[in-house]
Each structure stands twice: as structure tokens, then as C-alpha cells.
Amino acid sequence: MKLIGFDTSGESTDETRLDGKVFGLTKRYDKKRAAGAQAGHQGRLSGVYRDAIEINGGSLVAAGGYATTLGLICGLLGLYFFRESFFGDLAKGHYVLTAIGILCLFCVFFIGIYFEMFSPSESPIYFDRARRRVYYVHRSGRRRFILFGPSAVEIRVIDWSLVDAEHHTKARASTASVSRDHYLVFLMRKSETDPTIADAYPIGPVDFPSALWEYIRRYMERDAAPLIAGEAPPYKGATFDMIEALKQRKKNYWQDWKELPWTQLWQHLALPLFAVFFVVNRFVVWTAQKVRWPQEVKDALGVAITEEDLKADPTHKLRPEGEATKDGT
């Protein structure tokens, strides 16, 4: 699926993708050369396995629906405040103009539906250094209902040698300023002999794409440990569910009023907005495309590493031994 806002067309070679030739491209990385002195996952590490790491994991839909909710509320408010104008246009027979005006009011709502409904339930990328492979979620173009139908979701496996990495930027404007968001974008070539870009996978926005790439590069190319001394492995627990979260809030309701009265007050004042968000979120969850990982990938990854596994590992290949780990903290 072509990425929106990124130029990922053509061939992935140093000659064709020079700075200045590709819109938004800031830097192209080399697997054999360090991207900088700093390396770190910047909170993007979501799983550590015996021979692989997971980046960008977690549910994409469990708490999703913010843009759709915002667009719906703003559209309804706009419709209420401009109702006399719309009724006047309808009375004059300006049906097309009225329809265009309503569509403009709800444009953020439709954009939210496009990006948040029918989305993959998750979209991590795995780097397997033992097998020199990369596993990721590919989302094809939408097939039904033109803009708002579900898309086909599939798992793709590609050799590490066919993956290139680049630093891209996208402009972001507000009423006060214009800024740039930074992304680490992976380009997947068709084959060793054909550098045509067959697919792409972005991670971001991130503060320091070069440091994130260097973290991945060192892991894959130099057998670097995925964790630093004293760092706990990411917790791979159950997926967040808003229904279960509400049940937990019910249990701690009066305790929360005692400990956080002002927070509770503001949350209760915002209950009408939350009610709309809750309904939208249920549609996001119900329309999500379930990602099913092939058994081949599951077998290659194995089980996520826990703190107990690290303490029992005498080689310390996944986490260097340090004062923190010696003390058991």
C-alpha cells in the first residue's frame, strides 16, 4: 500500500534517492556504517525474543477513534450553529451548495473513518537476526465501499538484505507555527537484482530516527544486546480493552474521588464527550482487521523474553550484566 505523505516510488538505490531528488527525504542509511554515536529504541521496543526484537507493537484500535470523535462533535456543533444558514439555502433550492457545506463541516469525521475504521488490529515489525529476516504487516488498497471499506491485511516476510532505511520528514502546521515530524521509513526491494520498491513501512513520528535506526542496525549487524544493563524487557500482557478498563474504574470509583477529586470532577463534566468517544471506539474495534501471524513466524519468534529469563541467562547476550541487574533491580 502506498504511504500517504512519503515518496516511496521508483527504485531504492543511492543514485536514484539522493537528497534533493526525493521529496521529504532527509537521509539515507547504510547498514555497514554507523548512523551516529547514539543508539536507542526511544520506547518503540515492544517485545524481546531469543533471536528477534519487536518494534512498534501494541494494539492500534483498543483506544482508537479520537479523530473520528473529534470530527463528529465538531461537525454536529457546526451544523447546530449554522443551521439557519443551511435551512435558508435549502429553502432557496441550493441543494448542492448545502450538501457541500455539510460535507466540509464533517470532513475531519470522514478522514477519521478512513484512517481509524477497518484498520489492522496491530502493525508491528520484527527483526530476526538469527534468520536474517524481517516480518511485518502489509495493508493493501481498499476493496469495497470505495473509500471506507476494509482492506486486505497480510503478513509479509522479507530478507534483511532487501531492506533499506531512510529518514523522512513531514510538515505539520498549526495556527501558531509550522513544524516537522520525523520518521524512520523502511523500503523493501523486490529482489537482489531488482531494486524497485515493492513495499514500505514507516515508524514515527520519532524524535531521533538516526538513533532508532542505529539501535536496529547494531542489533542486526553487530549482535548488540537489545536491552541495556538494568532495563526490563517490555511487558507482553493482555491487549487493553476499554470495557475491562471501565469495570476496573467502577471498582475504584469512590477511592479515585478521595485521591483525585479534581480529576474526577473534570472527567464527569466531560462524560457527554466520552460517551460519543466510547460509541465510536466500539465501531473501531468491531471493524478492525484481525492480524493472524503464520505458524512459521510464531515458531521463529518463540515466546517473549521475561525478567526471569534474563536472570537465568548466564551469557547475558540479551542484556549486559551491570550493577542494576546484579542487585536484581
Side-chain angles (χ1 to χ4, degrees), residues 32 47 148 173 204 240 253 277 326:
K32 302 303 179 183
F148 304 112
F240 171 84
Y253 182 77
F277 171 70
K326 287 180 180 178

Side-chain angles (χ1 to χ4, degrees), residues 5-222:
F6 300 98
D7 186 349
T8 57
S9 59
E11 298 181 344
S12 178
T13 64
D14 293 338
E15 292 74 21
T16 58
R17 298 186 68 81
L18 293 172
D19 294 351
K21 285 188 175 182
V22 179
F23 179 77
L25 175 61
T26 299
K27 184 177 182 180
R28 186 172 167 86
Y29 299 112
D30 187 337
K31 292 182 181 139
K32 302 303 179 183
R33 297 177 58 185
Q38 301 296 322
H41 56 75
Q42 301 171 63
R44 293 282 176 169
L45 181 67
S46 50
V48 175
Y49 299 81
R50 184 60 58 185
D51 297 310
I53 56 174
E54 174 188 296
I55 303 291
N56 229 31
S59 173
L60 297 178
V61 299
Y66 291 106
T68 306
T69 302
L70 176 64
L72 178 60
I73 293 175
C74 291
L76 291 174
L77 289 175
L79 199 61
Y80 174 77
F81 286 113
F82 293 101
R83 63 188 184 281
E84 294 184 2
S85 176
F86 285 125
F87 287 144
D89 289 335
L90 286 174
K92 297 176 183 178
H94 299 161
Y95 303 117
V96 176
L97 181 63
T98 303
I100 293 175
I102 293 175
L103 287 175
C104 290
L105 287 178
F106 287 92
C107 63
V108 176
F109 173 67
F110 292 124
I111 292 173
I113 291 178
Y114 179 84
F115 284 104
E116 295 178 332
M117 302 288 181
F118 305 101
S119 297
S121 57
E122 58 176 337
S123 185
I125 182 169
Y126 294 92
F127 297 91
D128 185 339
R129 65 181 175 191
R131 297 163 186 80
R132 311 298 294 169
R133 288 182 173 180
V134 176
Y135 319 120
Y136 66 100
V137 177
H138 170 81
R139 183 181 182 185
S140 68
R142 296 170 183 270
R143 296 182 175 181
R144 294 188 294 172
F145 312 125
I146 307 176
L147 292 177
F148 304 112
S151 56
V153 175
E154 62 178 302
I155 304 302
R156 290 196 170 180
V157 180
I158 189 171
D159 291 339
W160 168 246
S161 61
L162 299 178
V163 178
D164 297 324
E166 296 178 342
H167 174 187
H168 284 245
T169 60
K170 291 172 66 174
R172 177 164 51 90
S174 66
T175 56
S177 63
V178 177
S179 60
R180 289 186 178 274
D181 290 331
H182 298 264
Y183 294 81
L184 177 62
V185 178
F186 293 99
L187 306 178
M188 287 63 172
R189 288 178 273 117
K190 282 189 175 181
S191 67
E192 295 288 357
T193 57
D194 186 355
T196 302
I197 300 173
D199 206 354
Y201 182 99
I203 299 179
V206 292
D207 293 331
F208 307 103
S210 294
L212 178 58
W213 162 248
E214 184 62 15
Y215 169 82
I216 297 171
R217 188 193 75 85
R218 291 182 186 181
Y219 177 82
M220 294 294 289
E221 295 292 326
R222 295 172 52 184

